[in-house]
Amino acid sequence: MREITQEEIDEKVKAHKLWLDSEGEHGEKARFTDVLITTKTFAFQNLHGAVFKNVDCVNTNFERADLVFTYFKNVHFNHVNFADTRLDYSKFIHCSINNTTYLFANLKYVDFTCTTLDNVDFTYSNLYKVDFSTAIIENIHVSRAI
């Protein structure tokens, strides 16, 4: 698996912004496929509707990112920061989420289909209508969830 650079991430984010702003006429939808994302940042970026598939994501920062309607499939998250991130209507399909924080995140209508959650912190997060029905939950913190 090839490690993606921060420069490549920034280029994809820029093209995605153009795609969003032009309603699909210009730019390109951000797709992160078959890559390793280690010690990178997506903080404060708008990746509304992006796709992450077959990704290993380690020590990565998504703080305050807009990930509404984002699709995650076969993504392995370890030590990832989703603090204060918007994830409404996103899907986590066959993912593994370990040692990760969603502190103050907005997770309305998020689907965790066949996803394993271990040592995940949802403190102060909006968990309205989150679907954990097929998730494998090892250890999560939900105190004071909204």
Side-chain angles (χ1 to χ4, degrees):
M1 188 174 287
R2 181 182 73 80
E3 184 166 355
I4 192 168
T5 66
Q6 187 66 53
E7 291 76 24
E8 289 174 284
I9 291 169
D10 295 342
E11 287 174 22
K12 285 181 178 278
V13 169
K14 184 178 177 180
H16 188 78
K17 181 181 180 340
L18 183 59
W19 179 78
L20 288 171
D21 291 346
S22 69
E23 298 180 353
E25 294 290 319
H26 304 286
E28 186 176 350
K29 183 176 188 171
R31 297 180 198 289
F32 298 89
T33 306
D34 301 315
V35 293
L36 174 62
I37 302 171
T38 303
T39 318
K40 303 296 186 288
T41 187
F42 293 85
F44 302 95
Q45 300 300 325
N46 185 350
L47 285 168
H48 187 112
V51 174
F52 291 77
K53 187 174 178 186
N54 303 325
V55 172
D56 282 341
C57 191
V58 181
N59 294 324
T60 300
N61 185 12
F62 288 93
E63 184 177 7
R64 294 191 177 188
D66 180 344
L67 298 170
V68 174
F69 286 107
T70 297
Y71 181 77
F72 301 95
K73 183 172 183 184
N74 296 324
V75 179
H76 303 285
F77 296 99
N78 195 9
H79 294 284
V80 174
N81 179 11
F82 285 108
D84 207 19
T85 298
R86 293 188 58 217
L87 286 148
D88 320 39
Y89 301 96
S90 292
K91 294 188 180 298
F92 292 83
I93 312 297
H94 295 282
C95 294
S96 173
I97 305 171
N98 303 297
N99 307 307
T100 293
T101 183
Y102 290 89
L103 187 67
F104 290 102
N106 193 348
L107 294 121
K108 292 187 303 187
Y109 297 99
V110 168
D111 184 357
F112 287 101
T113 299
C114 299
T115 290
T116 301
L117 300 133
D118 187 13
N119 196 29
V120 177
D121 188 355
F122 291 107
T123 303
Y124 299 112
S125 293
N126 184 342
L127 299 174
Y128 182 76
K129 301 263 182 165
V130 171
D131 186 356
F132 291 112
S133 64
T134 61
I136 301 163
I137 299 171
E138 298 292 328
N139 183 20
I140 64 172
H141 309 281
V142 292
S143 62
R144 300 190 182 126
I146 299 172

